[in-house]
């Protein structure tokens, strides 16, 4: 409980600091935008319902039906009111209001373990929503505070990998509208795949009256917390903007996806003040990799879902020109390192885990430094440097698979005593 309280305090402090920073740059912060969505049309109703679904794992089936019914009913009222007023309609307010109502119920009508359990469920839901809002705020800040971007360096380094974004872009064009629409849906609805895997991991919370030690939501939140900081250090907008039509007058030329970026002496280049510098590393790849990792211990259908979501996300990030191949490698190493560090912490700072986490951090740092300072050398020796970049990434993945496999074989059978059940007041 002390750890959860400390995490809540740190998270609140971070949100307040980000709110102050965003207001300094003339944009609303995550707290303001989230508070508005209690009554105003949300930016993404899917995320709000996905967050509420995570909170429902702490409730009984009867309470779940009541909560879902209340959320849908509130949304219908909002929809009718907006339709009558002639304003844009959007769903999601009901899910947020019900989540906040459950927090009030936990404080006023629950005691002991039951209060803690429900507050943890509400906390997970609100953290997922806050993480999304924090991401939007970070993107605005990167565009405002980083006028120069490093796309030329990454595009040059990408020659060592065979310019995968250009190749994938032509493949997506060849598949037509059907393939593009599937990839676009997977890319936009990343939270849906995450919630499916998380619900499987949290399926026994209501029965056992406790949350598992490690689950996907925790990894997702850490990725979202740390990733934007790298954006500030290594600002990149992506090939569709730097070398494509979406960059407008700021693009070097309209080359993507038919003509690879020309080789030359890379340099930082100015870009507009509103396009997010959110390429390095690819957090969509990072999150999809986390979904894949956490789906491995599920049933066959869940494993297939995790593999599909990862492959489709890779196809979308590259095929739509949002990322370079170098971003993808960095995103995979980023996630595996975070996953290793979290599992190592759960095991009491296991020596093998600490070494692997340190190695992953070193490889991630080396990738970024090589993209920035050795991009021309990488491009000059593609048949040597390309495989080396892939092997460096694969070594971190192999280390994770090997280490976690040893941990799983060493783990004793789980014998968790069932806590005493307390009376649960029903939601009204």
């Amino acid at each position: 409980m002390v750890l959860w309280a400390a995490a809540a305090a740190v998270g609140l402090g971070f949100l307040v600091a980000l709110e102050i920073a965003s207001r300094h740059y003339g944009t609303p912060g995550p707290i303001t935008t989230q508070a508005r969505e209690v009554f105003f049309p949300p930016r993404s109703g899917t995320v709000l319902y996905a967050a509420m679904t995570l909170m429902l794992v702490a409730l009984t089936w009867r309470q779940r039906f009541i909560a879902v019914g209340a959320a849908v009913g509130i949304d219908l009222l909002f929809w009718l009111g907006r339709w009558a007023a002639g304003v844009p309609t959007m769903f999601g307010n009901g899910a947020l209001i019900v989540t906040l109502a459950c927090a009030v119920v936990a404080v006023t009508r629950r005691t002991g373990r039951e209060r803690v359990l429900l507050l943890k469920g509400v906390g997970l839901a609100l953290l997922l929503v806050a993480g999304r809002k924090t991401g939007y705020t970070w993107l605005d800040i990167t565009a405002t505070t980083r006028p120069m971007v490093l796309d030329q360096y990454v595009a040059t380094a990408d020659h060592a990998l065979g310019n995968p974004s250009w190749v994938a872009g032509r493949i997506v064009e060849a598949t037509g509208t059907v393939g593009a629409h599937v990839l676009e849906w997977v890319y936009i609805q990343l939270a849906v795949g995450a919630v499916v895997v998380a619900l499987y991991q949290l399926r026994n919370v209501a029965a056992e009256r406790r949350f598992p030690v490690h689950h996907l939501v925790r990894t997702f939140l850490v990725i979202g917390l740390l990733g934007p900081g790298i954006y500030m250090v290594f600002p990149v907008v992506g090939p569709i903007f730097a070398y494509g039509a979406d960059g407008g007058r700021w693009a070097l030329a309209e080359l993507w996806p038919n003509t690879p970026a020309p080789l030359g002496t890379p340099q930082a280049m100015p870009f507009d003040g509103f396009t997010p510098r959110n390429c390095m590393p690819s957090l969509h790849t990072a999150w999809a990799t986390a979904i894949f990792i956490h789906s491995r211990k599920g049933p066959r259908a869940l494993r297939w879902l995790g593999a599909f979501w990862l492959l489709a996300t890779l196809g979308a990030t590259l095929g739509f020109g949002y990322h370079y191949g170098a971003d993808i490698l960095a995103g995979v190493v980023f996630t595996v390192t975070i996953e290793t560090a979290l599992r190592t912490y759960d095991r009491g700072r296991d020596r093998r885990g600490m070494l692997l986490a340190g190695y992953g951090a070193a490889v991630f740092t080396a990738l970024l430094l090589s993209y920035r300072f050795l991009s021309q050398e990488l491009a000059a020796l593609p048949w040597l440097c390309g495989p080396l970049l892939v092997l460096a990434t694969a070594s971190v993945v192999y280390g994770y698979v090997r280490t976690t496999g040893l941990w799983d074989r060493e783990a004793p059978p789980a014998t968790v005593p069932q806590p005493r059940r307390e009376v649960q007041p029903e939601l009204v």
Side-chain angles (χ1 to χ4, degrees):
M1 185 61 185
V2 175
L3 181 61
W4 277 83
V10 171
L12 180 61
F14 175 74
L15 287 175
V16 172
L18 197 58
E19 180 77 22
I20 295 172
S22 61
R23 287 182 176 274
H24 173 72
Y25 292 113
T27 60
I31 298 176
T32 301
T33 54
Q34 191 56 68
R36 284 177 53 85
E37 291 189 353
V38 175
F39 299 106
F40 291 92
R43 184 166 183 170
S44 174
T46 303
V47 172
L48 293 177
Y49 269 93
M52 186 189 73
T53 303
L54 288 178
M55 183 267 299
L56 296 180
V57 300
L59 304 179
T60 64
W61 278 107
R62 181 175 182 272
Q63 293 166 348
R64 292 171 186 171
F65 285 124
I66 294 174
V68 172
V72 173
I74 292 171
D75 268 332
L76 284 175
L77 291 176
F78 272 94
W79 188 89
L80 290 173
R82 289 168 184 154
W83 175 76
V87 298
T89 58
M90 175 59 74
F91 67 95
N93 301 91
L96 180 58
I97 291 173
V98 167
T99 301
L100 296 174
C102 286
V104 175
V105 169
V107 173
T108 59
R109 300 195 60 187
R110 296 283 179 91
T111 59
R113 291 191 184 96
E114 296 302 320
R115 172 184 289 175
V116 172
L117 183 71
L118 185 52
L119 285 177
K120 285 182 178 179
V122 172
L124 279 180
L126 294 180
L127 280 173
L128 180 62
V129 175
R132 186 72 173 240
K133 296 302 177 186
T134 299
Y136 291 142
T137 303
W138 266 119
L139 297 185
D140 292 337
I141 291 176
T142 62
T144 304
T145 62
R146 293 296 180 268
M148 307 295 286
V149 298
L150 305 177
D151 283 75
Q152 292 186 36
Y153 293 94
V154 184
T156 301
D158 237 32
H159 280 273
L161 300 171
N163 298 299
S165 181
W166 273 258
V167 175
R170 293 194 294 271
I171 293 175
V172 170
E173 282 188 348
T175 61
T177 57
V178 175
H181 286 160
V182 171
L183 294 180
E184 183 182 28
W185 186 86
V186 171
Y187 187 85
I188 294 175
Q189 303 298 342
L190 181 70
V192 174
V195 168
V196 171
V197 175
L199 286 177
Y200 175 79
Q201 293 180 321
L202 303 176
R203 66 193 183 282
N204 295 323
V205 169
E208 297 177 355
R209 314 311 298 165
R210 67 180 183 89
F211 279 84
V213 174
H214 184 55
H215 49 82
L216 176 61
V217 180
R218 188 167 70 155
T219 305
F220 248 62
L221 293 173
V222 175
I223 290 173
L225 179 65
L226 299 180
I230 312 299
Y231 294 163
M232 302 292 286
V233 177
F234 208 117
V236 181
V237 293
I240 188 63
F241 297 102
Y243 296 95
D246 288 12
R249 67 182 183 88
W250 297 94
L252 287 174
E254 200 167 318
L255 303 175
W256 187 90
N258 298 313
T259 306
L263 288 175
T265 302
Q267 58 185 352
M269 55 184 271
F271 214 78
D272 63 43
F274 53 84
T275 300
R277 280 64 163 150
N278 63 335
C279 278
M280 184 63 69
S282 168
L283 290 197
H284 260 81
T285 299
W287 282 316
T289 302
I291 291 174
F292 176 80
I293 291 173
H294 283 264
S295 67
R296 293 305 88 195
K297 292 186 178 181
R300 179 179 298 178
L302 195 68
R303 296 197 301 271
W304 277 102
L305 174 70
F308 166 75
W309 222 271
L310 176 59
L311 292 175
T313 300
L314 292 177
T317 55
L318 292 172
F320 292 146
Y322 298 146
H323 289 279
Y324 303 91
D327 309 339
I328 304 301
L329 297 183
V332 172
V333 174
F334 187 65
T335 293
V336 175
T337 302
I338 289 174
E339 185 72 18
T340 301
L342 290 174
R343 293 197 61 177
T344 299
Y345 175 81
D346 295 336
R347 292 181 60 85
R349 300 180 181 178
D350 180 271
R351 181 175 177 274
R352 286 171 300 191
M354 293 177 67
L355 290 174
L356 180 58
Y359 174 69
V363 170
F364 180 75
T365 303
L367 288 176
L368 266 61
L369 290 176
S370 67
Y371 300 156
R372 176 61 178 82
F373 298 106
L374 298 174
S375 59
Q376 288 179 286
E377 288 77 5
L378 295 175
L381 299 170
W383 296 106
L384 172 63
C385 297
L388 285 178
L389 292 174
V390 175
L391 283 174
T393 303
S395 68
V396 179
V397 176
Y398 173 75
Y400 175 80
V401 173
R402 182 180 176 85
T403 301
T404 55
L406 291 173
W407 285 345
D408 292 340
R409 288 193 292 271
E410 293 172 0
T415 56
V416 180
Q418 293 294 324
R420 178 176 60 85
R421 294 290 296 272
E422 300 187 23
V423 177
Q424 296 183 50
E426 295 291 339
L427 294 177
V428 293

